[in-house]
């Protein structure tokens, strides 16, 4: 990881470029970056593929000459806008890294508070801090070149993307929903087990991470290209889940914010209770 | 065809004989659904007690043993400027399938035509298929079963042994030389006329239990006529485009191939993944044009492949009527209902 020592990797005898990359976090749990650091089995391979200039979670050195910036987190404070714009000014490629950066993530739940002032008082009490009333994705402030979805990101997917970048291959992200990988993993359908799941409308690529553990999908990767949200709503209803159960999930990570807002307009009250009897 | 009769207690002897030297795959209960109904799947078993020959259609398939969802077609090892290629058909031993229903054996026979019977057989499939010993078992039709409409409720070939429960005994069809070699070590008898009658009675009773049906009369012509029918849009509006129907289908074989390089740049692989024609980018081509951007057209072509194109090519449908797609579809899209709507019949 020593940035001063050049490592020249080759593929089929041809030297491959070693792009200078940096990792940053705005408002987030830093869990997406942790995914990479945690990946001991391939960490050294990953680090020799790129020249890491800044990665606060993993190293002390901080250098600000980088070509690719991976930015985790959503924008929730005014100073973060300035930081983000500075990063954008340096990086040739800016990657929204994880669902907070792509959609606002869990943070954007606060966008629906009716009285943000009361919430701030309740949380911070006599130690007020300056925060915006909304948590926003990066693309609301700067141009984003690539989104890597997930809460957290799937490290195998990040490695694949970075490998393809280094080799000059195109980056292809799945357009199929979570159900495809869930079926390939031979899971019992969560609906058969009486659990709600957004798998049919959520972008895949996570290897059905949650359903593999019998935990219904909450849509962290946002809607699939052709998401049939209206039909999903009918199905949730048919299986006895309330409209709020579906809205909770649609609103959780921000990828479905538009769909959720649309659904709120026609929400059917007094639906079946959760858990169903 | 050779017919034999065996006491039910001989089943254990048959199982033990096969399990001694082979890997046996059979139906077991793997889950219980929210209504308390058992869910079955095909798993490797060593204990005959776990075998559930009374199983109803499994949600998932035995297909993974011969057409895995994901399979590396080749792996490459990079040595400097050179590389070596390894091909593995991913079959290291023969498998015994203990208790496949007629529909699933018919599905294999259909796959054989596509993957073994043409100019370019698929070796990954052939290697697995040639190393199978299949024991069929009769079944009780479920409300979603329409195999009888598709001519797949009985099976003529593609298995080694077929067992039919005729009360206190099994009526056994012996189809292969391998099966004969095994059956001769079991205590079996030549069926008497009364056993024949009992067999025929069993089959006749089974036939009465079918409730779901698909009218296939003139279906290829009707599908041609109704290409612009408004029903496709109606079903397309319901469809989630999630691909589950193809993933639970015993005859779906469409796939995509991806080439990836491992993060260490020392290995690369070419991976085949089964895909579904209902997924949004199924008909997307280089340059980004999508021939079937609407869910309705994708769903329609799924039906055209199963019930029209394949019939014209092979004189049989690519659907065996197992009903899995309809059972697994959260939106409740079932083959009998879709076909009936195309035919203008009220459901």
């Amino acid at each position: 990881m020593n940035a001063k020592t050049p490592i020249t990797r080759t593929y089929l005898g041809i030297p491959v470029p070693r792009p200078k990359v940096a990792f940053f976090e705005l408002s987030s749990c830093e869990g997406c970056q942790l995914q990479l650091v945690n990946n001991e089995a391939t960490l050294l391979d990953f680090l020799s593929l790129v020249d890491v200039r800044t990665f606060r979670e993993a190293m002390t050195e901080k250098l600000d000459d980088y070509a690719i910036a991976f930015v985790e987190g959503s924008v929730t404070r005014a100073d973060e806008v300035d930081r983000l714009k500075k990063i954008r000014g340096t990086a040739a490629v800016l990657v929204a890294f994880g669902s907070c950066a792509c959609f606002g993530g869990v943070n954007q739940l606060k966008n629906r508070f009716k009285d943000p002032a009361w919430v701030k008082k309740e949380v911070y009490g006599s130690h007020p801090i300056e925060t915006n009333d909304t948590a926003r994705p990066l693309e609301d402030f700067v141009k984003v070149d690539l989104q890597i979805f997930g809460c957290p990101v799937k490290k195998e997917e990040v490695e694949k993307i970075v490998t393809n970048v280094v080799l000059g291959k195109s980056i292809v992200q799945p357009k199929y929903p979570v159900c495809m990988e869930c079926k390939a993993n031979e899971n019992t359908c969560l609906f058969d087990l009486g659990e709600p799941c957004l798998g049919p409308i959520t972008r895949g690529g996570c290897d059905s991470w949650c359903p593999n553990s019998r935990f219904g999908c909450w849509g962290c990767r946002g809607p699939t290209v052709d998401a049939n949200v209206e039909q999903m709503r009918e199905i949730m209803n048919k299986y006895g889940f309330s409209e709020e159960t579906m809205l909770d999930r649609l609103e959780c990570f921000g990828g479905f914010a538009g769909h959720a807002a649309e659904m709120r307009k026609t929400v059917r009250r007094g639906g079946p209770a959760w858990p169903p009897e | 065809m050779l017919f034999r009769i065996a006491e039910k207690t001989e089943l254990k002897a048959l199982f033990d004989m096969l399990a001694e030297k082979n890997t046996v795959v059979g139906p077991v209960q793997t889950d219980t659904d929210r209504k308390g109904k058992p869910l079955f799947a095909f798993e490797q078993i060593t204990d005959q007690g776990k075998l559930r020959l009374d199983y109803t259609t499994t949600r998932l398939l035995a297909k993974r043993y011969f057409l895995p969802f994901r399979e590396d077609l080749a792996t490459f090892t990079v040595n400097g400027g050179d590389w070596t290629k390894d091909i593995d058909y991913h079959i290291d031993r023969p498998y015994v399938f203990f208790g496949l229903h007629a529909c699933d054996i018919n599905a294999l026979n259909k796959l054989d035509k596509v993957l073994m019977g043409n100019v370019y057989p698929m070796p990954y499939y052939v290697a697995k298929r040639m190393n199978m010993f299949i024991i069929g078992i009769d079944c009780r039709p479920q409300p979603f079963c329409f195999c009888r409409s598709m001519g797949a409720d009985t099976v003529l070939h593609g298995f080694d042994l077929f067992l039919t429960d005729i009360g206190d005994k099994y009526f056994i069809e012996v189809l292969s030389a391998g099966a004969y070699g095994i059956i001769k070590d079991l205590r079996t008898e030549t069926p008497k006329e009364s056993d024949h009658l009992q067999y025929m009675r069993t089959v006749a009773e089974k036939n009465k239990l079918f409730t779901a049906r698909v009218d296939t009369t003139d279906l290829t012509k009707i599908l041609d006529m109704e290409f612009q029918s408004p029903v496709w849009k109606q079903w397309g509006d319901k469809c989630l485009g999630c691909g589950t129907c193809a993933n639970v289908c015993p005859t779906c074989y469409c796939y995509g191939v991806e080439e990836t390089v491992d993060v260490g740049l020392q290995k690369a692989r070419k991976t085949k993944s089964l895909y579904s024609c209902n997924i949004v980018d199924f008909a997307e081509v280089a340059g980004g044009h999508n021939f079937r951007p609407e869910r309705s057209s994708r769903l329609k072509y799924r039906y055209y492949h199963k019930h029209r194109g394949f019939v014209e090519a092979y004189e049989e449908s690519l659907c065996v009527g197992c009903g899995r797609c309809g059972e697994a579809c959260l939106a409740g899209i079932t083959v009998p209902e879709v076909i009936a709507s195309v035919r203008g019949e009220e459901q």
Side-chain angles (χ1 to χ4, degrees):
Chain A
M1 171 135 30
N2 187 341
K4 282 166 197 152
T5 323
I7 304 171
T8 310
R9 299 298 301 262
T10 62
Y11 180 63
L12 292 171
I14 301 161
V16 294
R18 190 163 175 240
K20 293 178 173 170
V21 306
F23 292 86
F24 300 97
E25 60 286 323
L26 305 178
S27 294
S28 65
C29 70
E30 300 190 22
C32 288
Q33 292 172 79
L34 193 62
Q35 281 297 303
L36 294 182
V37 182
N38 260 347
N39 199 9
E40 287 99 348
T42 51
L43 183 61
L44 293 179
D45 280 331
F46 181 78
L47 291 175
S48 61
L49 220 49
V50 289
D51 180 358
V52 183
R53 311 302 279 175
T54 294
F55 195 165
R56 195 189 58 77
E57 199 170 278
M59 64 194 233
T60 316
E61 231 169 336
K62 280 191 173 65
L63 297 165
D64 53 10
D65 57 330
Y66 46 85
I68 304 173
F70 292 85
V71 183
E72 182 183 340
S74 59
V75 178
T76 64
R77 295 197 314 263
D79 64 295
E80 288 178 335
V81 179
D82 299 334
R83 265 188 83 206
L84 181 59
K85 285 186 173 159
K86 199 168 159 240
I87 295 166
R88 177 72 270 190
T90 308
V93 175
L94 189 141
V95 181
F97 194 55
S99 293
C100 290
C102 294
F103 317 122
V106 174
N107 304 333
Q108 55 79 49
L109 281 171
K110 81 171 189 176
N111 298 0
R112 296 175 197 88
F113 288 146
K114 288 198 176 64
D115 184 0
W118 178 85
V119 176
K120 277 186 198 178
K121 190 162 165 289
E122 194 69 16
V123 175
Y124 300 110
S126 55
H127 306 282
I129 62 155
E130 202 179 308
T131 63
N132 297 343
D133 284 344
T134 56
R136 322 261 8 142
L138 309 188
E139 65 181 7
D140 284 6
F141 304 93
V142 294
K143 179 172 167 278
V144 170
D145 301 300
L146 176 70
Q147 292 177 308
I148 300 181
F149 307 101
C151 182
V153 297
K154 189 87 183 161
K155 53 197 172 185
E156 291 82 359
E157 194 182 31
V158 180
E159 286 177 353
K160 191 170 153 186
I161 288 170
V162 170
T163 307
N164 284 347
V165 165
V166 166
L167 295 175
K169 292 178 70 179
S170 57
I171 296 164
V172 182
Q173 287 177 313
K175 291 184 182 170
Y176 55 77
V178 173
C179 287
M180 281 296 278
E181 287 161 342
C182 196
K183 282 286 168 295
N185 288 328
E186 310 200 354
N187 296 321
T188 301
C189 182
L190 267 304
F191 282 94
D192 278 339
L193 297 174
E195 295 286 331
C197 180
L198 290 189
I201 55 170
T202 300
R203 181 189 294 273
C206 57
D207 198 31
S208 60
W209 208 341
C210 297
N212 293 352
S213 305
R214 296 196 168 213
F215 185 73
C217 174
W218 279 70
C220 79
R221 298 167 76 89
T224 186
V225 177
D226 196 24
N228 192 346
V229 180
E230 196 47 48
Q231 182 61 29
M232 191 75 239
R233 185 179 179 181
E234 297 297 322
I235 291 162
M236 286 285 216
N237 215 281
K238 188 174 89 185
Y239 277 82
F241 304 117
S242 71
E243 299 257 283
E244 285 301 327
T245 301
M246 171 135 172
L247 280 164
D248 272 355
R249 287 173 188 243
L250 287 180
E251 288 173 346
C252 188
F253 292 96
F256 290 94
H259 298 103
E262 200 55 39
M263 186 174 158
R264 281 262 174 231
K265 289 180 193 163
T266 56
V267 67
R268 294 183 282 248
R269 299 280 167 203
W274 169 254
E277 283 156 30
Chain B
M1 177 112 38
L2 182 67
F3 302 116
R4 302 295 289 172
I5 288 285
E7 294 294 326
K8 283 194 167 171
T9 47
E10 279 302 286
L11 194 74
K12 181 160 170 41
L14 175 63
F15 183 92
D16 290 345
M17 200 187 294
L18 290 165
E20 191 185 1
K21 288 181 183 160
N22 303 284
T23 302
V24 178
V25 174
V28 295
Q29 185 182 346
T30 50
D31 238 323
T32 305
D33 79 2
R34 65 189 202 289
K35 290 171 181 163
K37 268 171 53 187
L39 295 170
F40 300 98
F42 295 102
E43 304 277 356
Q44 290 185 20
I45 37 174
T46 50
D47 172 11
Q48 189 251 341
K50 289 223 169 75
L51 193 66
R52 287 288 301 271
L53 292 181
D54 62 333
Y55 75 110
T56 52
T57 314
T58 57
R59 275 294 161 92
L60 290 159
L61 305 160
K63 194 167 81 169
R64 68 167 146 136
Y65 292 97
F66 36 93
L67 262 188
F69 285 105
R70 301 185 194 109
E71 185 170 32
D72 281 343
L73 300 179
T75 50
F76 304 85
T77 307
V78 180
N79 308 303
D82 206 359
W83 50 272
T84 53
K85 178 180 176 181
D86 292 303
I87 290 179
D88 187 343
Y89 296 150
H90 304 112
I91 176 118
D92 58 353
R93 70 193 101 164
Y95 282 94
V96 173
F97 289 84
F98 208 111
L100 289 189
H101 288 164
C103 56
D104 284 347
I105 302 171
N106 277 308
L108 282 172
N109 290 340
K110 288 176 196 291
L111 286 176
D112 289 352
K113 294 194 173 169
V114 181
L115 302 172
M116 294 208 312
N118 63 19
V119 184
Y120 302 105
M122 181 173 249
Y124 304 87
Y125 175 83
V126 177
K128 296 180 185 78
R129 183 72 168 108
M130 299 306 273
N131 283 292
M132 278 181 192
F133 186 90
I134 294 178
I135 302 174
I137 183 83
D138 74 319
C139 51
R140 303 279 290 177
Q142 299 301 304
F144 50 83
C145 293
F146 58 97
C147 52
R148 192 157 165 77
S149 301
M150 309 314 293
D153 56 326
T154 57
V155 59
L156 301 175
H157 63 99
F159 59 88
D160 296 277
L161 286 172
F162 200 98
L163 313 180
T164 302
D165 185 339
I166 54 164
D168 53 349
K169 285 182 254 179
Y170 281 116
F171 189 91
I172 306 173
E173 295 168 55
V174 186
L175 197 66
S176 70
Y180 181 77
I182 285 162
I183 214 81
K184 70 178 168 46
D185 292 334
L186 293 175
R187 279 178 300 186
T188 63
E189 290 165 26
T190 307
K192 298 191 259 315
E193 187 54 29
S194 60
D195 296 319
H196 294 169
L197 287 171
Q198 185 57 37
Y199 175 84
M200 286 186 271
R201 260 200 301 275
T202 305
V203 172
E205 273 164 29
K206 173 188 165 179
N207 289 346
K208 285 185 207 148
L209 296 174
F210 285 101
T211 49
R213 64 184 288 275
V214 167
D215 185 357
T216 59
T217 316
D218 278 343
L219 189 54
T220 55
K221 278 185 242 171
I222 289 165
L223 285 168
D224 258 359
M225 292 175 212
E226 297 303 321
F227 191 77
Q228 306 289 359
S229 166
V231 300
W232 297 117
K233 168 88 172 60
Q234 288 161 23
W235 292 113
D237 287 346
K238 281 178 81 116
C239 177
L240 291 161
C242 68
T244 289
C245 48
N247 282 332
V248 301
C249 176
T251 62
C252 275
Y253 52 80
C254 289
Y255 62 93
V257 173
E258 189 184 31
E259 288 160 342
T260 50
V261 181
D262 288 4
V263 66
L265 307 185
Q266 299 298 309
K267 286 257 182 198
R269 61 194 70 241
K270 187 185 256 196
T271 309
K272 172 190 162 193
S273 300
L274 294 186
Y275 215 63
S276 163
C277 50
N278 277 312
I279 301 294
V280 65
D281 59 349
F282 181 80
E284 197 175 286
V285 292
H289 181 71
N290 192 343
F291 284 94
R292 297 176 205 159
E294 304 92 13
R295 283 191 297 270
S296 57
S297 78
R298 297 197 298 275
L299 181 137
K300 174 162 75 179
Y301 274 97
R302 180 177 168 75
Y303 277 82
Y304 274 69
H305 182 207
K306 296 276 180 201
H307 298 277
R308 184 188 170 282
F310 199 87
V311 185
E312 302 225 321
Y314 294 97
E315 298 193 351
E316 60 180 272
S317 168
L318 188 57
C319 173
V320 293
C322 69
R324 284 187 179 94
C325 54
E327 279 296 284
C329 179
L330 291 168
I333 302 172
T334 71
V335 175
E337 282 186 75
V338 172
I339 298 293
S341 74
V342 175
R343 302 183 76 103
E345 294 164 7
E346 291 294 320
Q347 278 284 307

